[in-house]
């Protein structure tokens, strides 16, 4: 009964270079069914929507002058990399965007498909695909206005290649949003010891401190691959209230917004009219997929 | 009362989301039910509060692309002009409620039909000279007396204006609700299923119960309701004054049997709300018009319930206050005398109080009398409902702009906390006042006499009220 929405790609997975780490995949396999329990293992990700969705929404609205408050992201094509169960894809879809969610784990895609299927509006606006980023590059060159990679880069095997692929599928002057965890003593204590082992906010073993990415390193990788970093904001989770807030310091969690340069070899002008403004408002999802 | 208040809230401090998932019987739906049309919000109950809720959401820019439905069992109510006689069901609309109604264009319609602003409110005791007068320093309107039919007509007009977003089902009663399983279970429909009397089915992401103090939504959701029937009924009628006057004062006198209120409708007419015992209410309805009018005048004018003791004690207290605060005492004025009653307008209805222990559950919210029912002595009933609307709309509009699931408990709980905090103390005070003023016992009369006199003399307390 679910096969209606299943879009399985029969492409052979490249063995030599991949941003997907198979060890990481195994960790998430066990929890594929728990995505939508708002009070379960993924509750912190659910409440992260309260700051990451407004961040994405307001950044995009500030760059555009042609939008309707009732449907603010209408006409925007978004790629949600590492979408998991669709926790971030759904709110973006509700705001009017055409969302493509990809995740290497089939069980996650299955959960995501099933969850969106009950809402006809979302079912049309969101398309899920079990795939890695590399696998869609060829057919999705310069397709998306926006890429969101939230809580993903700390799990990828080859970060530079990941960023290169993002650049390839992103339109010129398109936006890339990343949220991830810094690599500091504080993030070890709070992000691993406290979050995983003591308070159980994050399922144990989810994160490896070695793979955390300091913002400077991420900025450097982005800038040397054709991106211009616009915003870096620290994020803080309060385990008592179960809610996230912004903070100055990026020593634990942080969010970054970068824009792909417009012309070849030139950084995009700051605050200039975005190419999104000239987009046709009626976009249908996944037509080229 | 504090134990009652604690029970009335019924919410633990920790783990707010836990324990909200219904334990009662429910039937998971097969995919057949997926054919029923899906709405973002369904409001059950098309009275003043339900209709206003639907209208507010319908006019909200963040709900521009959403589908809203309003279910009303009765027929459509709209008037281009009001009949010459006044309706006997009126409400005292606070300035805050007027602001809400004007936020989506309904207040203009009310003003173009008819309403009566009042500038002063005098409240006094039958057993003593104590009284309290409310008025705004800047001679602004304190509130408005509006017929319920006028409000309904204005709301209907504004619902028509957003008919592409809000679908109103007249003559439709919901007979059954089916609740979804907890959100993380993915096999059955996550929406609330509604079955109408004519067999039609609807699905919704959020069900708002505005179906009055006998709320079916509340009962089906198995939300406990603390309720109490007062041993009082309210008698309402439309009265004609002996002579035309500015009539911009609302009068209320606390008799031992219950408060009697005269609310201005025009320069020559006022509306009566007399809360009294069930027997007395039946007598009042049965007696001829002359006797009825005499009873009203006597209730407002007679000093039969005064005792020398209380009068002396009250006078002493008043002199004490005037030493400390010379302007703190005011002269008691008498309300206008009544000459006639509109023949068809006498009616009575029983009074009670009620408070739902929870205002929200997963995908459900209660507003208006479905959540709380109060005694009319404070003229607060519908204003509490409009306050609920303002708060819930505030949280829903933010949720919509964040792309959130509208039925999510996270923002519904914020609405509940805010409103319970506001409502519970007010409801408790109204209940206490009702009981305090229902007696002739000297100590309590003295207590409330001094209390009223002191409150009248102290600006900070009066302003808060």
């Amino acid at each position: 009964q679910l096969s209606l929405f299943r879009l399985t790609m029969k492409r052979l997975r490249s063995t030599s270079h991949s941003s997907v780490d198979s060890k990481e995949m195994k960790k998430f396999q066990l929890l594929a069914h728990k995505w939508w329990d708002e009070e379960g293992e993924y509750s912190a990700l659910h409440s992260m929507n309260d700051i990451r969705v407004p961040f994405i929404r307001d950044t995009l609205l500030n760059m555009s002058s042609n939008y309707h408050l009732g449907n603010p992201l209408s006409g925007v094509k978004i790629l949600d990399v590492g979408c998991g169960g669709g926790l971030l894809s759904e709110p973006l879809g509700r705001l009017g965007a055409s969302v493509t969610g990809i995740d290497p784990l089939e069980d996650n895609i299955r959960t995501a498909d099933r969850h969106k299927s009950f809402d006809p509006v979302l079912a049309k606006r969101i398309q899920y695909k079990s795939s890695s980023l590399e696998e869609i590059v060829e057919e999705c060159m310069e397709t998306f206005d926006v890429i969101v990679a939230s809580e993903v880069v700390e799990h990828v095997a080859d970060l530079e290649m990941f960023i290169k692929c993002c650049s390839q599928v992103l339109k010129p002057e398109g936006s890339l949003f990343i949220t991830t965890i810094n690599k500091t003593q504080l993030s070890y204590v709070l992000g691993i010891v406290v979050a995983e082992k003591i308070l159980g906010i994050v399922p144990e073993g989810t994160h490896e401190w070695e793979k955390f990415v300091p913002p400077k390193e991420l900025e450097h990788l982005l800038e040397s691959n054709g991106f211009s970093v616009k915003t870096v904001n620290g994020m803080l989770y309060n385990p008592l209230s179960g809610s996230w807030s912004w903070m100055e310091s990026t020593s634990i969690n942080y969010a970054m917004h970068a824009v792909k340069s417009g012309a070849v070899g030139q950084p995009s002008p700051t605050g200039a009219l975005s190419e999104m403004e000239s987009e046709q408002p009626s976009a249908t999802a996944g037509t080229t997929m | 009362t504090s134990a009652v208040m604690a029970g009335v809230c019924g919410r633990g401090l920790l783990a707010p989301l836990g324990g909200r998932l219904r334990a009662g019987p429910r039937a998971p739906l097969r995919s057949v039910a997926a054919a029923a049309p899906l709405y973002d919000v369904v409001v059950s109950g098309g009275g003043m509060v339900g209709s206003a809720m639907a209208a507010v959401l319908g006019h909200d820019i963040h709900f521009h692309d959403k589908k809203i439905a309003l279910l009303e069992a009765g027929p459509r109510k709209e008037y281009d002009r009001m009949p010459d006689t006044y309706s006997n069901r009126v409400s005292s609309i606070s300035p805050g409620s007027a602001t809400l109604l004007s936020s989506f264009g309904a207040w203009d319609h009310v003003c173009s039909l008819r309403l009566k602003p009042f500038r002063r409110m005098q409240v006094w005791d039958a057993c003593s000279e104590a009284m309290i007068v409310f008025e705004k320093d800047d001679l602004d309107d304190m509130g408005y007396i509006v017929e319920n039919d006028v409000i309904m007509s204005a709301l209907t007009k504004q619902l028509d204006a957003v008919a592409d977003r809000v679908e109103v089902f007249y003559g439709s009663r919901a007979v059954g609700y089916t609740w979804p399983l907890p959100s993380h279970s993915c096999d059955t429909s996550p929406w609330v299923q509604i079955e109408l009397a004519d067999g039609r089915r609807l699905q919704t992401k959020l069900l708002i119960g505005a179906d009055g103090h006998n709320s079916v939504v509340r009962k089906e959701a198995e939300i406990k309701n603390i309720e109490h029937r007062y041993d009082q009924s309210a008698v309402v009628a439309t009265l004609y004054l002996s002579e035309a006057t500015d009539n911009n004062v609302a009068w209320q006198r606390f008799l031992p049997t219950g408060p009697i209120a005269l609310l201005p409708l025009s320069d020559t007419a006022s509306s009566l709300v007399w809360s009294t015992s069930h027997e007395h209410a039946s007598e009042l309805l049965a007696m001829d018009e002359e006797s009825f009018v005499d009873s009203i005048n006597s209730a407002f004018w007679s000093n039969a319930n005064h005792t020398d003791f209380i009068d002396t004690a009250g006078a002493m207290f008043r002199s004490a206050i005037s030493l400390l605060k010379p302007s703190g005492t005011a002269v008691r004025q008498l309300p206008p005398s009544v000459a006639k009653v509109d023949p068809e307008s006498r009616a009575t209805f029983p009074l009670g109080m009620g408070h739902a222990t929870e205002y929200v559950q997963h995908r459900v919210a209660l507003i208006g009398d479905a959540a709380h029912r109060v005694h009319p002595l404070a003229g607060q009933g519908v204003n509490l409902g409009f306050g609920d609307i303002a708060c819930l709309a505030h949280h829903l509009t933010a949720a919509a702009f964040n792309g959130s699931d509208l039925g999510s408990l996270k923002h519904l709980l914020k609405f509940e906390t805010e409103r319970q905090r506001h409502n519970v103390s007010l409801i408790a005070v109204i209940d206490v006042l009702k009981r305090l003023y229902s007696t002739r016992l000297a100590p309590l009369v003295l207590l409330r006499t001094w209390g009223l006199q002191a409150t009248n003399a102290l600006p900070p307390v009066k302003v808060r009220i």
Side-chain angles (χ1 to χ4, degrees), chain B residues 126-193:
Chain B
C127 298
S128 77
E129 289 290 323
M131 75 155 182
I132 185 165
V133 174
F134 296 94
E135 68 192 325
K136 286 183 148 177
D137 290 324
D138 39 2
L139 290 182
D140 246 353
D141 296 329
M142 267 198 71
Y144 311 89
I145 304 297
V146 189
E147 294 154 275
N148 294 355
D149 284 342
V150 167
I151 297 176
M152 276 312 307
S153 183
L155 293 174
T156 304
K157 264 215 181 71
Q158 285 312 92
L159 282 171
D160 285 346
V162 288
D164 53 338
R165 253 162 273 159
V166 183
E167 213 176 316
V168 186
F169 294 76
Y170 290 106
S172 300
R173 184 187 307 274
V175 295
Y177 298 101
T178 309
W179 311 113
L181 292 170
S183 50
H184 59 271
S185 159
C186 268
D187 295 323
T188 55
S189 170
W191 316 126
V192 178
Q193 311 291 325

Side-chain angles (χ1 to χ4, degrees), chain A residues 33 36-39 46-47 50 53-54 57-58 61 68-72 90-91 94-95 114-115 118-120, chain B residues 17-18 21 38 61-66 183-184 186-191 205 400-405 408 410:
Chain A
H33 306 288
W36 287 100
D37 181 359
E38 279 186 40
E39 297 163 66
H46 277 276
S47 58
D50 293 341
V53 173
R57 173 197 77 206
D58 292 341
L61 290 184
H68 187 286
L69 283 176
N71 212 352
E90 289 205 3
R94 282 194 200 99
L95 291 180
R114 200 185 306 160
H115 196 265
F118 291 103
D119 185 338
Chain B
L17 290 179
L21 310 170
L38 174 64
I61 190 155
H62 297 294
F63 274 74
H64 190 264
D65 285 2
K66 307 248 185 276
S183 50
H184 59 271
C186 268
D187 295 323
T188 55
S189 170
W191 316 126
K205 300 175 188 172
F401 196 44
N402 281 350
S404 302
D405 178 350
S408 164
K410 240 191 330 194

Side-chain angles (χ1 to χ4, degrees), chain B residues 338-365:
Chain B
V338 177
K340 255 171 36 98
V341 58
D342 181 332
E344 308 298 310
S345 70
R346 273 190 273 177
T348 179
F349 53 91
L351 298 176
M353 79 74 95
H355 193 254
T357 51
E358 296 167 352
Y359 286 2
V360 301
Q361 268 187 17
H362 180 55
R363 300 205 184 286
V364 182

